[in-house]
Amino acid sequence: MTLVKLHPDAFSRFYDGVGYIVNQFTRTNNLFDINELDYLKAIARIPRDTDDIVADLQIQIPHIPVDQIKANFCKLVVVLENEKLVVTGESLEELKTNESVAYEKPYNILEQGNTVQSINPAIFFYSYFDKHPTLFASQIDLTSHCNFTCRHCFYPPERIPVSLDTGLVFDVLDQLAEMGTLIVTFSGGEPLLHKDFGKILLKARRNDFIITIQSNAFLVDERVTEYLREANVCTFQTSLYSMKPDDHDRITGLPGSLKKTLQGIELVGQSSIPICVGCHVMKSNRHSYMSVLEWSAKRGVRCMVDFFMMARSNFCTENLGESLNMKDTEEVTREMLQYENKYVEFGKSIKKASIDINSFRNKPICDAGKSMLYISSDGDCYPCAGFVGYNVGNVRQLPVKDIWNNSDMLSRLRSVTWNDFPECLECEAFQYCSMCFARNFNENKGNMLKHTSHQCDITHLNMRVATERWFKS
């Protein structure tokens, strides 16, 4: 008797004749077409005997000989087990032993190709979500309460603190599970300030989501890390702005915040939960942010640097006063290439040769509203966390499915393509553009189709830096 089940770190979903499986830590992932779908569906969280699975498959696909079904299934299991996507054992005891075997869980990796088929899942889903909007990922603000008052935050400092009712969160999580959502991110405000953070986390685990947390780590203690471990959290995302307390604390607005955040990060790290540090570079930490990259590199922690500022959701641009000037932006861009492989690989992937602009005309610009939805602490829904103001519905009034399928605002957003930006299609730096509806919307008093000159300046800067570094003859 050979038992088989999903690996604890693997998750599967099914979308209109397509099966998908992924390991949340290694990012190893595979797509299955209609001919292989039944095989993947037969593997679940509850262990089953291979012979029983084959017997069920014979009923579902009677046109295939049973010996061939068993051979196909066993071959698939071997491949998926090697990729930490399934686990097998001759008994429940052996199964439990095998699924507890430790393996490297890197966060700082590039997306890996699939091993079963030649189709790249990222390319497939880009096209699939464009034609079939699917709520693949959702971010939920559990509370707008926050113990920091960060200088660059795009939320207005005067917004009224409010938390989602726990019962409503549970109901939303059930709705998301029913819709096939794979990834759920809990954020805020500061999500740890929600009185039922632990209960909500464990509910999300019971609903079988990939779970990520966005927190400033200030409130992390042993009790929090116990919840993180029990919920098998994929990633704990936090922010560090400088290893100099004065610089970091000036940005957060809370004296002593660097010390407490570092203590929180240490506790999370001891729990073997992958950590991702975000470092937003602005005037207040321009000359000390590199200390965060160096600290992260020594500890094997991924650090993602960003220097884009976003105007506040009430269209106030006061926080943009922290934005770097173009001279500093160029220096930071070049410095980032020393530490962040993501930027290096992106730069190398851009072809110097001209591209077929016509192939982009009808393509989407962003996946907001096509594969993701942000739910705020007052129940309002938006295409993404930065796009607050573009309200598409409220979960207190309508089911998530109704909002996703019937919102006129989402339909309008989904119809926008590069054709709506003809001047961008003519731009020589088009391949380096990272157009952002939310940034457009916030900086232009609600006009998401008007791009910002600062964005264009940075796009041309990226092209120049890449050309000098990789394509200069």
Side-chain angles (χ1 to χ4, degrees):
M1 177 180 74
T2 300
L3 299 172
V4 60
K5 66 184 290 288
L6 278 175
H7 192 284
D9 300 330
F11 299 81
S12 61
R13 292 294 188 272
F14 304 93
Y15 307 102
D16 293 337
V18 177
Y20 179 64
I21 186 170
V22 61
N23 181 298
Q24 66 174 353
F25 296 122
T26 67
R27 306 299 198 270
T28 302
N29 56 151
N30 296 281
L31 281 173
F32 294 80
D33 62 23
I34 191 67
N35 297 316
E36 301 170 310
L37 210 53
D38 291 323
Y39 292 97
L40 181 60
K41 285 183 175 180
I43 305 172
R45 291 284 172 213
I46 299 174
R48 295 188 64 198
D49 179 67
T50 299
D51 290 337
D52 291 339
I53 292 175
V54 171
D56 286 346
L57 288 172
Q58 187 180 12
I59 298 173
Q60 298 169 35
I61 44 179
H63 59 284
I64 300 178
V66 64
D67 290 345
Q68 186 62 50
I69 292 175
K70 185 169 185 177
N72 291 345
F73 182 73
C74 291
K75 181 179 179 181
L76 174 65
V77 167
V78 169
V79 173
L80 297 183
E81 186 167 31
N82 287 336
E83 298 295 344
K84 299 294 186 292
L85 295 170
V86 304
V87 61
T88 65
E90 297 303 315
S91 65
L92 289 174
E93 291 75 15
E94 183 179 346
L95 195 71
K96 186 174 182 179
T97 299
N98 290 343
E99 72 178 8
S100 64
V101 173
Y103 65 99
E104 187 176 1
K105 300 178 180 179
Y107 186 84
N108 190 12
I109 62 172
L110 298 173
E111 178 180 335
Q112 298 189 13
N114 54 318
T115 56
V116 176
Q117 297 185 357
S118 59
I119 304 173
N120 184 307
I123 295 175
F124 170 83
F125 280 129
Y126 174 81
S127 176
Y128 180 83
F129 293 149
D130 182 35
K131 298 175 182 177
H132 311 280
T134 303
L135 190 42
F136 190 77
S138 182
Q139 180 174 336
I140 303 174
D141 271 4
L142 297 181
T143 179
S144 59
H145 291 263
C146 191
N147 46 350
F148 287 5
T149 54
C150 295
R151 287 171 172 258
H152 60 295
C153 185
F154 53 78
Y155 289 123
E158 66 274 10
R159 72 172 178 165
I160 300 173
V162 62
S163 299
L164 281 172
D165 178 75
T166 303
L168 178 59
V169 177
F170 278 25
D171 181 51
V172 167
L173 292 176
D174 286 339
Q175 293 181 56
L176 294 176
E178 182 68 25
M179 294 176 69
T181 301
L182 177 63
I183 303 168
V184 170
T185 298
F186 294 116
S187 55
E190 171 49 52
L192 299 187
L193 285 171
H194 193 287
K195 65 183 181 66
D196 289 325
F197 172 77
K199 292 180 181 178
I200 291 171
L201 209 56
L202 298 183
K203 169 63 176 177
R205 171 50 48 238
R206 292 193 297 274
N207 282 21
D208 204 36
F209 298 116
I210 291 178
I211 304 169
T212 64
I213 307 296
Q214 293 181 0
S215 165
N216 58 42
F218 187 94
L219 298 173
V220 171
D221 55 20
E222 295 288 352
R223 182 166 167 269
V224 169
T225 56
E226 184 178 340
Y227 283 129
L228 298 177
R229 286 193 300 269
E230 189 172 350
N232 193 22
V233 167
C234 173
T235 310
F236 188 94
Q237 301 174 1
T238 191
S239 297
L240 287 173
Y241 304 106
S242 172
M243 301 311 292
K244 292 184 176 181
D246 288 347
D247 287 356
H248 178 92
D249 296 354
R250 182 167 58 251
I251 291 172
T252 66
L254 183 62
S257 58
L258 175 61
K259 180 179 179 180
K260 287 286 291 181
T261 292
L262 288 174
Q263 290 173 351
I265 291 174
E266 180 69 21
L267 285 172
V268 173
Q270 291 173 2
S271 301
S272 299
I273 303 296
I275 299 167
C276 179
V277 168
C279 181
H280 204 109
V281 187
M282 60 197 92
K283 289 179 180 177
S284 291
N285 65 341
R286 163 65 188 96
H287 298 292
S288 62
Y289 85 95
M290 284 289 287
S291 61
V292 176
L293 280 88
E294 292 164 357
W295 179 91
S296 300
K298 288 178 181 178
R299 289 158 179 79
V301 172
R302 180 167 188 182
C303 181
M304 300 182 68
V305 176
D306 188 13
F307 47 72
F308 270 118
M309 299 287 291
M310 184 179 293
R312 291 193 169 126
S313 58
N314 61 354
F315 307 140
C316 172
T317 58
E318 179 184 355
N319 61 331
L320 297 185
E322 278 285 344
S323 296
L324 300 177
N325 59 37
M326 287 307 298
K327 177 178 180 297
D328 282 341
T329 298
E330 178 170 352
E331 291 177 358
V332 169
T333 299
R334 296 181 184 280
E335 291 166 356
M336 281 159 51
L337 294 174
Q338 301 177 42
Y339 286 91
E340 181 51 82
N341 287 333
K342 179 186 72 172
Y343 301 107
V344 175
E345 295 300 326
F346 172 75
K348 289 180 178 179
S349 71
I350 297 292
K351 306 297 183 184
K352 187 178 180 181
S354 60
I355 60 174
D356 180 12
I357 293 297
N358 287 325
S359 67
F360 284 89
R361 291 190 181 279
N362 295 314
K363 287 186 176 181
I365 298 168
C366 176
D367 61 357
K370 292 197 172 188
S371 65
M372 62 184 294
L373 186 71
Y374 164 68
I375 302 172
S376 70
S377 58
D378 58 6
D380 284 334
C381 298
Y382 306 94
C384 72
F387 217 159
V388 177
Y390 194 88
N391 193 322
V392 302
N394 189 294
V395 295
R396 300 180 192 273
Q397 302 165 0
L398 292 170
V400 178
K401 189 173 184 178
D402 283 1
I403 295 171
W404 185 256
N405 291 334
N406 303 320
S407 167
D408 291 337
M409 297 288 281
L410 279 180
S411 295
R412 179 187 174 217
L413 179 64
R414 291 166 183 163
S415 69
V416 178
T417 67
W418 280 109
N419 255 337
D420 295 292
F421 297 89
E423 69 279 14
C424 296
L425 291 170
E426 303 283 331
C427 179
E428 62 177 349
F430 176 72
Q431 287 173 282
Y432 297 86
C433 182
S434 56
M435 175 77 72
C436 175
F437 289 140
R439 188 177 297 116
N440 293 352
F441 189 86
N442 289 2
E443 291 190 33
N444 295 298
K445 298 189 182 303
N447 186 354
M448 67 178 174
L449 299 181
K450 181 180 179 182
H451 55 75
T452 66
S453 59
H454 185 61
Q455 167 72 61
C456 294
D457 291 341
I458 291 178
T459 296
H460 282 85
L461 168 63
N462 288 337
M463 181 185 71
R464 178 162 57 82
V465 171
T467 300
E468 293 173 1
R469 187 177 180 96
W470 292 294
F471 308 127
K472 194 171 182 179
S473 30

